[in-house]
């Protein structure tokens, strides 16, 4: 997929991550991420949505090389980062891309204080002086809305929202350009969700960040993301600007996701019809009629067959 904006910060080209598992001697393959392509531009907030198990986390983890991709390529700022792992490449990736992990409880070491957790990232920056590290950690805690005295506490002493803030501070302290935030708010109460999203927005401005924001649900990403990628079972099925995706969803799965969003007006909410998506019913794929990426309008990509593409164009006209 190409678009005609400036050079992307991150290029993901035909990325695949297939897991092979063995259960009772039987080998099976899960195509967690399957031939996925997208670009993320400097300064943008790029959303990735889709239901549980569609491969969002795997996509993020493969980009930062927690997994070795089984296919495709990832290029960061012109430099390929999906090739053979070396200590130099590991250093490069950790210096530039940081991930805020999905589960704020499991991703924070319970035996480390907040000072130690956040301070770890400073080793990457080569800051070894303990006083300097302490100063930076305290500063970072305040920037994410925590207090200096929180530095000596352990993760279990914090609420879900506070733990997510610790995760954000840990990601930011490395001074990365790209943050991959994996469902940073889905475990939180609605009111706390808004606080964490506002915090991310402020930090984005302050630090000049680019954000890849992973979420289950489209309503969370609508106002926050410039562009949105919709994933379904390892495939990227639609990619468009937020406005375009909401105004003109083309893939039946995107339509189903949109129909699941509750409406604020109670009368409209009563009339809301939830659309379900069953790939077997929705498509008639077969030899000579296989899906591929089609651009329905500039920058709006849909994974569909030629026939479906022609119908989408007709519907738009
Ligand atoms: N390490 C692994 N080994 C084998 N299979 C895996 C592994 N990690 C993920 N999977 C499988 O890959 C698929 C995608 O999982 P992934 O965690 O990326 O989904 P997700 O979109 O992040 O879901 P959720 O919204 O629940 O977080 C799932 O079927 C999952 O079981
Ligand atoms: Mg996930």
């Amino acid at each position: 997929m190409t678009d005609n904006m400036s050079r992307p910060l991150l290029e993901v080209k035909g990325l695949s991550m297939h897991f092979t598992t063995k259960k009772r001697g039987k080998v099976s393959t899960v195509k967690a991420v399957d031939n996925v392509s997208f670009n993320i531009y400097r300064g943008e907030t790029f959303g990735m949505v889709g239901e549980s198990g569609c491969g969002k986390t795997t996509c993020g983890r493969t980009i930062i090389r927690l997994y070795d991709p089984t296919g495709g390529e990832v290029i960061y700022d012109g430099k390929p980062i999906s090739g053979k792992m070396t200590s130099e490449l590991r250093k490069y990736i950790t210096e530039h891309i940081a991930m805020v992990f999905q589960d704020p409880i499991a991703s924070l070491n319970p035996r480390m204080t907040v000072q130690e957790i956040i301070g770890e990232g400073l080793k990457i920056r080569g800051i070894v002086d303990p006083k300097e590290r302490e100063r930076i950690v305290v500063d970072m805690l305040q920037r994410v809305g925590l207090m200096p005295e929180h530095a000596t506490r352990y993760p279990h002493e914090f609420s879900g929202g506070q733990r997510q803030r610790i995760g954000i501070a840990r990601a930011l302290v490395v001074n990365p350009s790209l943050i991959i935030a994996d469902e940073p708010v889905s475990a939180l109460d609605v009111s706390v969700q808004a606080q964490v999203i506002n915090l991310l927005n402020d930090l984005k401005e302050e630090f000049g960040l680019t954000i890849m924001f992973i979420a289950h649900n489209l309503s969370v990403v609508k106002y926050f993301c410039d562009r949105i990628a919709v994933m379904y079972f390892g495939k990227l099925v639609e990619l468009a600007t937020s406005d375009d995706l909401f105004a003109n969803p083309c893939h039946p799965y995107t339509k189903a996701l949109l129909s699941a969003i509750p409406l604020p007006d109670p009368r409209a909410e009563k009339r809301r019809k939830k659309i379900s998506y069953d790939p077997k019913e929705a498509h008639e794929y077969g030899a000579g009629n296989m899906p591929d990426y089609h651009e329905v309008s500039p920058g709006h990509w849909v994974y569909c067959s030629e026939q479906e593409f022609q119908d989408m164009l007709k519907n738009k006209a």
Side-chain angles (χ1 to χ4, degrees), residues 8-273:
L9 180 63
L10 185 79
E11 295 168 73
V12 175
K13 294 182 178 176
L15 188 68
S16 292
M17 185 63 225
H18 297 178
F19 293 108
T20 307
T21 49
K22 223 175 171 183
K23 238 188 219 163
R24 285 183 235 114
K26 229 181 117 193
V27 178
S28 62
T29 303
V30 178
K31 294 182 178 179
V33 173
D34 195 32
N35 195 15
V36 163
S37 302
F38 58 88
N39 290 335
I40 301 183
Y41 295 89
R42 215 176 274 279
E44 92 170 323
T45 306
F46 182 89
M48 179 173 272
V49 298
E51 66 200 57
S52 188
C54 71
K56 305 177 298 293
T57 296
T58 305
C59 189
R61 294 177 77 105
T62 311
I63 291 169
I64 63 163
R65 294 299 299 277
L66 288 177
Y67 302 132
D68 287 334
T70 49
E73 223 188 331
V74 182
I75 298 162
Y76 180 86
D77 205 9
K79 183 182 164 82
I81 58 167
S82 48
K84 188 179 178 311
M85 186 45 79
T86 58
S87 55
E88 185 206 346
L89 180 58
R90 170 59 58 213
K91 185 166 179 285
Y92 180 82
I93 295 171
T94 8
E95 276 170 359
H96 292 86
I97 313 176
M99 193 152 171
V100 178
F101 291 95
Q102 182 163 6
D103 184 345
I105 300 169
S107 66
L108 301 176
N109 187 335
R111 280 177 291 276
M112 280 164 84
T113 63
V114 168
Q115 166 75 45
E116 288 163 340
I117 291 170
I118 300 175
E120 261 197 309
L122 293 173
K123 281 189 210 149
I124 296 161
R125 279 173 58 187
I127 298 167
V128 284
D129 175 44
K131 277 267 161 302
E132 175 70 354
R133 280 166 64 153
E134 211 178 300
R135 190 191 63 72
I136 297 175
V137 169
V138 164
D139 175 56
M140 194 51 79
L141 281 173
Q142 286 170 318
R143 281 174 196 241
V144 300
L146 294 169
M147 318 255 239
E149 56 268 33
H150 286 148
T152 52
R153 299 196 192 157
Y154 290 87
H156 73 266
E157 298 174 62
F158 294 89
S159 70
Q162 286 174 322
R163 282 187 201 137
Q164 208 50 281
R165 287 168 194 266
I166 297 169
I168 293 169
R170 174 176 60 179
L172 279 176
V173 84
V174 184
N175 223 355
S177 303
L178 174 67
I179 294 255
I180 301 179
D182 190 2
E183 309 222 25
V185 297
S186 54
L188 309 174
D189 288 346
V190 176
S191 60
V192 188
Q193 283 188 2
Q195 288 170 17
V196 174
I197 288 189
N198 289 339
L199 170 68
L200 275 172
N201 244 340
D202 293 346
L203 294 170
K204 180 176 175 252
E205 294 304 313
E206 194 179 336
F207 292 86
L209 296 169
T210 302
I211 299 181
M212 174 172 166
F213 188 92
I214 297 174
H216 259 91
N217 144 343
L218 271 169
S219 52
V220 175
V221 292
K222 182 176 180 182
Y223 299 103
F224 183 51
C225 296
D226 302 298
R227 288 189 304 138
I228 299 173
V230 179
M231 294 277 291
Y232 183 78
F233 268 94
K235 287 279 185 206
L236 198 166
V237 296
E238 189 159 0
L239 171 65
T241 63
S242 298
D243 291 345
D244 215 2
L245 194 84
F246 276 77
N248 181 31
C250 290
H251 195 279
Y253 178 61
T254 311
K255 291 180 184 173
L257 273 186
L258 282 171
S259 79
I261 302 176
L263 299 168
D265 173 7
R267 273 173 303 179
E269 172 62 17
K270 230 177 167 181
R271 286 194 305 270
R272 177 168 65 95
K273 279 210 176 67

